[in-house]
PDB file of all heavy atoms in Angstrom:
ATOM      1  N   GLY P 287      -0.814 -21.317  -5.120  1.00 89.00           N
ATOM      2  CA  GLY P 287       0.059 -21.931  -6.116  1.00 89.00           C
ATOM      3  C   GLY P 287       0.384 -23.350  -5.724  1.00 89.00           C
ATOM      4  O   GLY P 287      -0.336 -23.979  -4.941  1.00 89.00           O
ATOM      5  N   LYS P 288       1.491 -23.869  -6.252  1.00 89.00           N
ATOM      6  CA  LYS P 288       1.919 -25.229  -5.935  1.00 89.00           C
ATOM      7  C   LYS P 288       3.414 -25.239  -5.637  1.00 89.00           C
ATOM      8  O   LYS P 288       4.204 -24.621  -6.352  1.00 89.00           O
ATOM      9  CB  LYS P 288       1.600 -26.174  -7.092  1.00 89.00           C
ATOM     10  CG  LYS P 288       0.109 -26.396  -7.308  1.00 89.00           C
ATOM     11  CD  LYS P 288      -0.164 -27.433  -8.390  1.00 89.00           C
ATOM     12  CE  LYS P 288      -1.675 -27.649  -8.553  1.00 89.00           C
ATOM     13  NZ  LYS P 288      -1.978 -28.678  -9.590  1.00 89.00           N
ATOM     14  N   ILE P 289       3.772 -25.940  -4.571  1.00 91.00           N
ATOM     15  CA  ILE P 289       5.159 -26.105  -4.172  1.00 91.00           C
ATOM     16  C   ILE P 289       5.565 -27.565  -4.405  1.00 91.00           C
ATOM     17  O   ILE P 289       4.935 -28.481  -3.885  1.00 91.00           O
ATOM     18  CB  ILE P 289       5.369 -25.752  -2.686  1.00 91.00           C
ATOM     19  CG1 ILE P 289       5.122 -24.267  -2.434  1.00 91.00           C
ATOM     20  CG2 ILE P 289       6.763 -26.147  -2.223  1.00 91.00           C
ATOM     21  CD1 ILE P 289       6.164 -23.353  -3.005  1.00 91.00           C
ATOM     22  N   LEU P 303       4.050 -32.961  -4.474  1.00 87.00           N
ATOM     23  CA  LEU P 303       3.494 -31.647  -4.808  1.00 87.00           C
ATOM     24  C   LEU P 303       2.549 -31.204  -3.699  1.00 87.00           C
ATOM     25  O   LEU P 303       1.625 -31.932  -3.328  1.00 87.00           O
ATOM     26  CB  LEU P 303       2.741 -31.723  -6.138  1.00 87.00           C
ATOM     27  CG  LEU P 303       2.489 -30.405  -6.879  1.00 87.00           C
ATOM     28  CD1 LEU P 303       3.803 -29.721  -7.242  1.00 87.00           C
ATOM     29  CD2 LEU P 303       1.668 -30.659  -8.130  1.00 87.00           C
ATOM     30  N   CYS P 304       2.788 -30.034  -3.178  1.00 84.00           N
ATOM     31  CA  CYS P 304       1.934 -29.468  -2.130  1.00 84.00           C
ATOM     32  C   CYS P 304       1.076 -28.374  -2.751  1.00 84.00           C
ATOM     33  O   CYS P 304       1.594 -27.355  -3.216  1.00 84.00           O
ATOM     34  CB  CYS P 304       2.794 -28.908  -1.010  1.00 84.00           C
ATOM     35  SG  CYS P 304       1.847 -28.201   0.353  1.00 84.00           S
ATOM     36  N   ASN P 305      -0.221 -28.610  -2.806  1.00 80.00           N
ATOM     37  CA  ASN P 305      -1.150 -27.655  -3.405  1.00 80.00           C
ATOM     38  C   ASN P 305      -1.558 -26.594  -2.384  1.00 80.00           C
ATOM     39  O   ASN P 305      -2.183 -26.908  -1.381  1.00 80.00           O
ATOM     40  CB  ASN P 305      -2.398 -28.380  -3.905  1.00 80.00           C
ATOM     41  CG  ASN P 305      -2.066 -29.392  -4.978  1.00 80.00           C
ATOM     42  OD1 ASN P 305      -1.455 -29.061  -5.981  1.00 80.00           O
ATOM     43  ND2 ASN P 305      -2.453 -30.639  -4.760  1.00 80.00           N
ATOM     44  N   LEU P 306      -1.221 -25.381  -2.671  1.00 77.00           N
ATOM     45  CA  LEU P 306      -1.598 -24.281  -1.785  1.00 77.00           C
ATOM     46  C   LEU P 306      -2.843 -23.598  -2.334  1.00 77.00           C
ATOM     47  O   LEU P 306      -2.901 -22.390  -2.529  1.00 77.00           O
ATOM     48  CB  LEU P 306      -0.447 -23.285  -1.662  1.00 77.00           C
ATOM     49  CG  LEU P 306       0.881 -23.880  -1.207  1.00 77.00           C
ATOM     50  CD1 LEU P 306       1.950 -22.807  -1.119  1.00 77.00           C
ATOM     51  CD2 LEU P 306       0.723 -24.580   0.133  1.00 77.00           C
ATOM     52  N   ASP P 307      -3.856 -24.435  -2.586  1.00 66.00           N
ATOM     53  CA  ASP P 307      -5.108 -23.915  -3.143  1.00 66.00           C
ATOM     54  C   ASP P 307      -6.322 -24.419  -2.365  1.00 66.00           C
ATOM     55  O   ASP P 307      -7.442 -24.345  -2.828  1.00 66.00           O
ATOM     56  CB  ASP P 307      -5.242 -24.305  -4.612  1.00 66.00           C
ATOM     57  CG  ASP P 307      -5.207 -25.811  -4.828  1.00 66.00           C
ATOM     58  OD1 ASP P 307      -5.145 -26.553  -3.818  1.00 66.00           O
ATOM     59  OD2 ASP P 307      -5.241 -26.242  -5.985  1.00 66.00           O
ATOM     60  N   GLY P 308      -6.081 -24.975  -1.187  1.00 53.00           N
ATOM     61  CA  GLY P 308      -7.179 -25.454  -0.360  1.00 53.00           C
ATOM     62  C   GLY P 308      -7.413 -26.940  -0.435  1.00 53.00           C
ATOM     63  O   GLY P 308      -8.142 -27.495   0.381  1.00 53.00           O
ATOM     64  N   SER P 309      -6.799 -27.623  -1.401  1.00 52.00           N
ATOM     65  CA  SER P 309      -7.095 -29.037  -1.581  1.00 52.00           C
ATOM     66  C   SER P 309      -6.377 -29.917  -0.563  1.00 52.00           C
ATOM     67  O   SER P 309      -6.733 -31.073  -0.392  1.00 52.00           O
ATOM     68  CB  SER P 309      -6.698 -29.479  -2.995  1.00 52.00           C
ATOM     69  OG  SER P 309      -5.309 -29.302  -3.203  1.00 52.00           O
ATOM     70  N   MET P 310      -5.369 -29.382   0.101  1.00 48.00           N
ATOM     71  CA  MET P 310      -4.636 -30.190   1.082  1.00 48.00           C
ATOM     72  C   MET P 310      -4.544 -29.452   2.404  1.00 48.00           C
ATOM     73  O   MET P 310      -3.527 -29.455   3.083  1.00 48.00           O
ATOM     74  CB  MET P 310      -3.235 -30.532   0.571  1.00 48.00           C
ATOM     75  CG  MET P 310      -3.220 -31.357  -0.682  1.00 48.00           C
ATOM     76  SD  MET P 310      -1.554 -31.842  -1.175  1.00 48.00           S
ATOM     77  CE  MET P 310      -1.152 -33.001   0.134  1.00 48.00           C
TER      78      MET P 310
END
Side-chain angles (χ1 to χ4, degrees):
K288 292 185 179 181
I289 294 290
L303 200 61
C304 181
N305 298 305
L306 305 180
D307 58 4
S309 61
M310 298 184 69

